[in-house]
Amino acid sequence: MDLATDYMGLALRNPLVASASPLSQTVDGVRRLADAGVGAVVLYSLFEEQLLKEAELNARLVDAGSESFAESLSYFPAATDEDPGPRRYLSLLERAVAAVDIPVIASLNGVTPGGWASYAAAMQTAGAAAIELNIYYLPGDTHVSGRDVEQRHLDILARVKDVVTIPVAVKLSPYFSSTGEMAVRLDEAGADGLVLFNRFLQPDINTETLAVVPAVGLSNPVDARLPRTWIALLHGRVHAALAATTGVEDPADVAKYLLAGADVVMTTSALLRHGPEHATVLLDGLSEWLTRKGFAAVGDVRGMLSVPPGTDESAHERVGYVSALQEANSNVLGPW
Ligand SMILES: Cc1cc2nc3c(=O)[nH]c(=O)nc-3n(C[C@H](O)[C@H](O)[C@H](O)COP(=O)(O)O)c2cc1C
């Protein structure tokens, strides 16, 4: 089965991508993902906070004045597996790129359009095939306007695009007043890919300890419905490649995203739950389904069930909503 896929100009052997997670925190982890067959790996994210900390340290060393800046850098400890910072990240990236023959995508996680974003250039030098920008911004300040939040996304993208020549994808949240327009603006601003969607930390409350409990839960297939809806709407309406992330548990979930119009399908929770080797199960299942349905290549199904161009999108969503409600009601009450 021909699973070859283009993602932002990168030639992938198939459309399954291991999304950013602890599984890519070591070279061995990246190798296991590659051996299991994924088309590309996104490394875990390097955070703005880590970069700012390093920049502060550099500034302090320069201020101390006893050494030139370049010499001061020699004070930094060599990257080790215990060092979670930027140096370790670049070292891991370089070693991972050398260890596998699939594209390795670096990930930057931040919220402000500050200088940290220029770190993307170092990632490119270290061999990243592309950069994924995880703009993890939940505007807790009730005075921040929606337009400001949107502009922040565009500014961060512009900073990164200015300093790299490799493709840049934006991993965004679904929480915009008009998610589609935001996607189109990012597309027009030069995003090579849109990764739909990142998941915010939604803390729980423990009623016994009376404490707020931070938690990053694993996803379930039902969580794929929101990104899938947006992918179906955006397919054919943006130039940027579309990456689906959230809720892939079995091969059918991969197939559904492709039918909706995803260029690539990412997975983390299932690989954490079942191990990286689960990627082989997903890929074998995808090939088996394509063969059974009589398709010769993965490209034959991509976007088959997207919202066709020329459709009145709002009316389309409304029709779906109304008929879903009618069906749900008739299941409970009998036909309307
Ligand atoms: C434990 C854990 C760590 C994650 N770390 C990152 C990260 O460093 N950067 C990032 O962009 N996404 C991160 N994610 C989000 C995943 O890349 C993915 O987008 C999300 O889990 C939805 O996909 P899934 O349903 O297949 O898990 C993490 C998710 C989990 C569960």
Side-chain angles (χ1 to χ4, degrees), residues 18-25 42-47 107-109 132-136 171 195-199 216-221 223-224 244-249 257 266-273:
S19 43
S21 84
L23 291 171
S24 56
Q25 277 181 349
V42 183
L43 285 196
Y44 74 98
S45 294
L46 183 57
F47 285 75
S107 169
L108 267 176
N109 181 320
E132 188 174 286
L133 271 175
N134 181 4
I135 307 181
Y136 189 102
K171 189 172 186 179
V195 184
L196 308 175
F197 290 112
N198 59 19
R199 298 171 72 217
V216 182
L218 299 184
S219 67
N220 293 299
D223 300 323
T245 175
T246 301
V248 168
E249 175 65 19
Y257 268 133
M266 297 183 166
T267 175
T268 281
S269 291
L271 303 185
L272 287 171
R273 233 179 239 130

Side-chain angles (χ1 to χ4, degrees), residues 151-224:
Q151 193 55 47
R152 187 183 278 251
H153 282 69
L154 296 167
D155 290 345
I156 294 174
L157 173 64
R159 288 256 181 172
V160 173
K161 286 292 289 184
D162 268 355
V163 297
V164 296
T165 51
I166 52 178
V168 178
V170 178
K171 189 172 186 179
L172 65 159
S173 90
Y175 305 119
F176 295 95
S177 295
S178 181
T179 305
E181 195 232 14
M182 185 71 239
V184 168
R185 288 174 76 201
L186 287 166
D187 182 43
E188 288 169 354
D192 301 282
L194 297 172
V195 184
L196 308 175
F197 290 112
N198 59 19
R199 298 171 72 217
F200 286 139
L201 176 72
Q202 293 170 339
D204 202 355
I205 286 181
N206 184 319
T207 52
E208 289 309 313
T209 59
L210 304 182
V212 175
V213 189
V216 182
L218 299 184
S219 67
N220 293 299
V222 72
D223 300 323

